[in-house]
Amino acid sequence: MTTTSTSESVIYMDHAATTPVREEVLEAMLPYFTIYFGNPSSLYAGAEVARNAVDEAREKVASVLNCRPSEVIFTSGGTESDNAALKGGTAGRTSQGRHLITSAIEHHAVLHSCEQLETGGWDVTYLGVDSGGHVDLDELDRSITPSTALISLMYANNEIGTIQPIGDIAQKLRSHNLGNRSEITFHTDAVQAAGALSLDVQELGVDLMSLSGHKFYGPKGVGVLYVRRGTPFVTQMAGGGQEQDRRSGTENVPLIVGFATALELAEQERIDLMSRLVRYRDQLVEGIIETVPNCHLNGSMTERLPNNVNISFEGIEAEPLLIGLDLSGIAASSQSACSSASLEPSHVLKALGMSDERAMGSLRLTLGRDTVEEDIPLVLNVLPEIVRDLRAMGSGGPGSSGD
């Protein structure tokens, strides 16, 4: 049984939304709030300590990403990194054309950035996905035009956990660029992949990559945008010229230190942790399907994040299900935390071809390093009963909403 600051006995299964800050991370951050509080851009000795901390953090991140420290830009989080990647990346390629490609299941930070670019005259192609959430690589090939400047595809989906073959896509783009003597910038939103999948940018072959600290036990309010050397990029945050004039604003030293510490620890533990969580994930999926009739696993089972379970239940809606789970001491969600207040069905699930009714009855359970094996049977004891009760209170019983 796990515990959080919000309750003494909560089974926390919403790690895709956010994670608690690790004690080691908090300890690393604290001195830079009080003792070493200097502005890293200043010249006195106290500022040099802060500047050295930022430099060391940049080197730690670069080590995990297998890139140069100069290719790491610190931002305020995944949303800013996505916005900067799309807007700064397209602005750097305007001489080539004004066409970009993304998918229908991206995070809203990407989709809404694309919408803003469309109002500025950019042509955007939104690729569909199959029932497992995979982009059709043949459709991607057909969508590329001589004016395509940037492609943005997420590494792992935040709702259904589906993993895209980013390395294979990058290889296709390299071949395309060589054959057509053009350059297409390739961005991936890797916010959900950090701590679960390799972030080696040489293997992935991406030009831009977004990360967010609070998804892997670091602090909120800090992220990274990786920018491969030589990639055309126009800064979106003007000011004092920090981050090598690519993202102005006084560096948030404590959060940057926390980000780097958390990422380093997450990478060190990644393989062992994910091998444990994939067992728990499979136990949850099998247990739910065996005990709850008329339910469906959403997303790919083979190319899926090790900690992600997303299941739709016919005949009910997610909101009362989440309330029932919460009253039973289980914290979960139905879709992205950024969209949880919306009354609309998930755009990700709709892109898989689901009806509104089935999409509105989806549950997302995401596991983490504080999940223990004893949590799984506790969830499986509670969840089927809540679903049965909700269906019994419905207007047509199980499956009444159809598909």
Side-chain angles (χ1 to χ4, degrees), residues 224-245:
V224 152
L225 176 62
Y226 159 75
V227 181
R228 185 181 294 276
R229 186 171 66 172
T231 300
F233 179 81
V234 177
T235 181
Q236 299 300 294
M237 189 77 77
Q242 290 87 351
E243 297 298 293
Q244 300 180 62
D245 203 25

Side-chain angles (χ1 to χ4, degrees), residues 85-86 89-90 93 101-102 106 127 135 137 140 148-155 164-174 177 183-189 201 203-210 225-228 231-232:
L86 268 73
T90 53
R93 292 281 189 205
I101 301 171
T102 189
E106 300 296 311
L127 300 175
V135 169
L137 299 190
L140 173 60
T148 302
L150 183 142
I151 295 173
S152 179
L153 297 172
M154 70 192 328
Y155 193 178
Q164 303 294 346
I166 296 300
D168 293 342
I169 295 170
Q171 182 60 48
K172 281 180 173 288
L173 287 180
R174 282 194 292 270
N177 289 344
E183 290 291 336
I184 299 174
T185 298
F186 186 25
H187 166 252
T188 189
D189 176 344
V201 294
E203 293 179 357
L204 293 172
V206 295
D207 303 304
L208 303 168
M209 183 168 72
S210 304
L225 176 62
Y226 159 75
V227 181
R228 185 181 294 276
T231 300

Side-chain angles (χ1 to χ4, degrees), residues 109-158:
V110 168
L111 294 178
H112 290 167
S113 292
C114 287
E115 291 169 2
Q116 289 182 337
L117 287 166
E118 284 183 291
T119 64
W122 281 79
D123 179 26
V124 182
T125 297
Y126 297 91
L127 300 175
V129 294
D130 62 21
S131 59
H134 294 110
V135 169
D136 185 332
L137 299 190
D138 290 335
E139 183 185 358
L140 173 60
D141 285 341
R142 293 192 298 269
S143 299
I144 296 174
T145 73
S147 62
T148 302
L150 183 142
I151 295 173
S152 179
L153 297 172
M154 70 192 328
Y155 193 178
N157 187 266
N158 51 306

Side-chain angles (χ1 to χ4, degrees), residues 14-19 107 158 190-195 211-220 222 266 307 336-338 364:
D14 200 20
H15 290 84
T18 194
T19 57
H107 190 277
N158 51 306
V191 167
Q192 286 296 328
L211 299 171
S212 182
H214 73 105
K215 303 297 187 178
F216 47 86
Y217 309 95
K220 297 176 180 64
V222 61
N307 71 329
S336 167
C338 302
R364 184 184 69 176

Side-chain angles (χ1 to χ4, degrees), residues 9 15 23 57 92 115 132 136-137 143 147 159 168 180 184 222 252 257 272 286 308 329 331 348:
S9 299
H15 290 84
E23 291 184 7
E115 291 169 2
D136 185 332
L137 299 190
S143 299
S147 62
E159 292 191 29
D168 293 342
N180 293 272
I184 299 174
V222 61
N252 194 327
V257 169
D272 288 342
E286 292 168 7
N308 177 287
V348 174

Side-chain angles (χ1 to χ4, degrees), residues 53-69:
V54 173
D55 290 342
E56 183 179 349
R58 202 183 311 276
E59 290 173 0
K60 287 182 178 180
V61 173
S63 177
V64 174
L65 272 54
N66 191 21
C67 69
R68 299 175 177 88

Side-chain angles (χ1 to χ4, degrees), residues 308-362:
N308 177 287
V309 175
N310 190 304
I311 291 185
S312 291
F313 301 92
E314 295 181 24
I316 65 171
E317 293 187 357
E319 184 176 358
L321 174 59
L322 293 174
I323 293 172
L325 289 171
D326 186 37
L327 293 173
S328 299
I330 300 168
S333 64
S334 60
Q335 53 179 304
S336 167
C338 302
S339 306
S340 60
S342 172
L343 296 177
E344 295 296 318
S346 160
H347 73 283
V348 174
L349 299 183
K350 289 285 289 178
L352 302 187
M354 291 185 196
S355 65
D356 287 357
E357 290 81 6
R358 178 175 159 185
M360 292 294 283
S362 68

